[in-house]
Amino acid sequence: MGHHSGSARERIIDAAERVVIEFGAGHLTFDAVALKAGLSRGGLLYHFPDKEALLKAMLDRLMERMKMRRAKKRAELAEGTEREIVAHVLSSLEKPEEVDKAARARTAAILASGAHDPGLLAPAKEEYRKLMDELTENGLRFERAAVIAIATDGLRLLELLSVSPFDKDERRRIVGELISLAKEEKKAP
Amino acid sequence: MGHHSGSARERIIDAAERVVIEFGAGHLTFDAVALKAGLSRGGLLYHFPDKEALLKAMLDRLMERMKMRRAKKRAELAEGTEREIVAHVLSSLEKPEEVDKAARARTAAILASGAHDPGLLAPAKEEYRKLMDELTENGLRFERAAVIAIATDGLRLLELLSVSPFDKDERRRIVGELISLAKEEKKAP
DNA sequence: GTCTATATCAAGATAGAC
DNA sequence: GTCTATCTTGATATAGAC
């Protein structure tokens, strides 16, 4: 099925994510993407016949990569109740946002799709439900898992919207608190 | 300063918020807003000469109303370390999202501004910083306050993007967990 | 203060050459 | 597979009548 990596499709999706990050979800146009990807509108439209196709591809790759990153992180962690949720937090927030362009890029697809057609986000909702199931699989209490998950994704969204007021050190402490909250659950009565 | 309530400006901002909620931030057009507000494009442009003016007005009203709702909630709560943060959580999430159109509307302005021009969100960032200062004023530990705040706002954003997978009961339990996390801090060693 | 034009432009999408 | 050219629409914004 898949083509060689570094394919035109991949390069175009990369470009689209960068457009959203630099100019905002409302400025994801074929023109801007073509410019960033280094090809013409026509060439771009050969790969993605319309905007919906591009957004769906962005979302699909986003979800795929998030799962991969989480799996990779989980493999580095010791077993335990909190293993899944810690993998989720760290795979999303481990690196400071200025550095982790990939993480910002991931969230970009969500905002761009929401701006264009909220209906496109239905699959993302299903994925989020599955994520919650996995997070609680090892016995972690649902409420605690949910709070940590929405805090993690909330911080990502706030950062992408440039509303997050936290500096690097504060952010590091917040991530630490999220991890603590996950581990605390083990010792609960 | 202010004009009578129910003024044209207010009705237009109401309409704009509803457009974002129903069709997504990318479909906030003068046409759509004029239609919802029950006047013509020309009439609308008399009040808001360009889109930036409309978005700024939406953001200003959003921040003003959030502060008012929080203050009102705080007045109902007993004094204590966690008073401010509990007021924040409840004023944002108390009512289920289907019911609380006002709460969704508030978040709408953020997404719409972010889509149009991320620079417009600079004042929102300052407000968020001030909010964090107030939340920790009573002695609540910064990390805990921040986690609860980003979880609260994260859930709001996920709901507005239709990505939140939680049903009414799960949501109620999540809000309960946020309150517990605020109160727990009192008993810490 | 609200309306109806209308000018202008940006963006999505198609067709066909190379 | 990529390009240029073109069609078409929809959105911002202006001008001026009522």
Side-chain angles (χ1 to χ4, degrees):
Chain A
M1 293 282 151
H3 297 283
H4 38 60
S5 87
S7 68
R9 276 182 68 94
E10 295 296 311
R11 280 188 297 109
I12 290 168
I13 298 177
D14 287 339
E17 288 177 342
R18 275 183 291 143
V19 168
V20 175
I21 291 171
E22 283 180 40
F23 307 109
H27 294 86
L28 182 69
T29 65
F30 284 131
D31 253 324
V33 174
L35 187 70
K36 272 245 189 278
L39 83 176
S40 70
R41 248 206 316 279
L44 195 165
L45 286 166
Y46 170 79
H47 296 281
F48 301 99
D50 55 26
K51 211 165 174 185
E52 196 176 313
L54 175 58
L55 289 168
K56 277 184 177 161
M58 289 173 76
L59 274 177
D60 282 349
R61 203 182 73 168
L62 151 79
M63 295 189 287
E64 205 49 51
R65 289 197 174 174
M66 277 181 64
K67 270 192 275 194
M68 280 174 52
R69 278 180 66 107
R70 187 154 49 88
K72 194 181 157 203
K73 203 21 113 183
R74 184 183 49 220
E76 299 170 22
L77 298 169
E79 288 208 28
T81 308
E82 79 285 2
R83 189 187 194 185
E84 290 286 346
I85 186 80
V86 170
H88 177 65
V89 172
L90 290 181
S91 66
S92 281
L93 298 175
E94 194 167 30
K95 296 182 202 163
E97 65 157 322
E98 319 89 64
V99 188
D100 198 351
K101 278 173 49 175
R104 300 196 74 187
R106 268 175 272 141
T107 325
I110 304 269
L111 284 187
S113 300
H116 182 74
D117 175 9
L120 293 175
L121 289 171
K125 186 173 172 172
E126 278 182 47
E127 278 299 315
Y128 212 88
R129 163 56 65 192
K130 282 186 207 160
L131 171 66
M132 288 310 306
D133 292 343
E134 288 176 38
L135 295 181
T136 52
E137 219 158 49
N138 291 346
L140 181 61
R141 198 162 48 88
F142 166 79
E143 293 85 350
R144 179 59 56 97
V147 163
I148 296 172
I150 62 180
T152 299
D153 298 313
L155 182 53
R156 280 240 69 81
L157 286 168
L158 292 174
E159 286 177 346
L160 190 60
L161 290 165
S162 314
V163 176
S164 166
F166 307 116
D167 65 31
K168 228 159 115 173
D169 182 60
E170 289 171 331
R171 191 182 190 279
R172 202 183 40 70
R173 284 154 63 200
I174 291 169
V175 174
E177 177 81 1
L178 289 171
I179 306 292
S180 300
L181 285 172
K183 297 194 172 165
E184 235 172 62
E185 280 288 290
K186 283 198 297 196
K187 319 169 207 157
Chain B
M1 297 276 152
H3 296 283
H4 36 58
S5 86
S7 69
R9 276 183 68 93
E10 295 296 311
R11 281 188 298 108
I12 290 168
I13 298 177
D14 288 339
E17 288 176 342
R18 276 183 291 142
V19 168
V20 175
I21 291 170
E22 284 180 41
F23 308 109
H27 294 85
L28 182 68
T29 65
F30 284 132
D31 253 324
V33 174
L35 187 71
K36 271 242 189 279
L39 84 174
S40 70
R41 247 203 320 276
L44 196 164
L45 286 166
Y46 169 79
H47 296 280
F48 301 99
D50 56 26
K51 212 166 173 185
E52 195 175 312
L54 175 59
L55 289 168
K56 277 185 176 160
M58 289 173 76
L59 274 177
D60 282 349
R61 203 182 73 168
L62 151 78
M63 294 188 289
E64 205 49 51
R65 289 199 174 174
M66 278 180 64
K67 270 193 275 193
M68 280 174 51
R69 279 180 64 105
R70 187 155 48 89
K72 194 182 155 202
K73 200 26 108 182
R74 184 183 50 222
E76 299 169 22
L77 299 170
E79 289 207 28
T81 308
E82 80 284 5
R83 190 186 193 183
E84 290 286 346
I85 186 79
V86 171
H88 177 64
V89 172
L90 290 181
S91 67
S92 281
L93 298 175
E94 193 167 32
K95 296 181 200 163
E97 64 156 325
E98 320 87 67
V99 189
D100 198 352
K101 278 173 49 175
R104 300 195 74 187
R106 269 174 272 143
T107 325
I110 304 269
L111 284 187
S113 300
H116 182 74
D117 175 10
L120 293 175
L121 289 171
K125 185 172 173 173
E126 279 182 46
E127 278 299 315
Y128 213 89
R129 163 57 65 192
K130 283 186 206 161
L131 171 67
M132 289 310 305
D133 292 343
E134 288 177 36
L135 294 181
T136 52
E137 218 158 51
N138 292 343
L140 181 61
R141 197 162 48 88
F142 166 79
E143 293 85 350
R144 179 59 57 96
V147 163
I148 296 172
I150 62 180
T152 300
D153 298 312
L155 183 53
R156 280 242 66 84
L157 286 168
L158 291 173
E159 286 178 346
L160 190 60
L161 291 165
S162 313
V163 176
S164 166
F166 307 116
D167 65 31
K168 229 158 113 175
D169 182 60
E170 289 170 331
R171 190 182 190 279
R172 202 182 41 68
R173 284 155 63 201
I174 291 169
V175 174
E177 177 81 1
L178 289 170
I179 306 293
S180 301
L181 286 172
K183 297 194 171 164
E184 237 171 60
E185 279 288 290
K186 283 198 297 195
K187 318 168 204 156

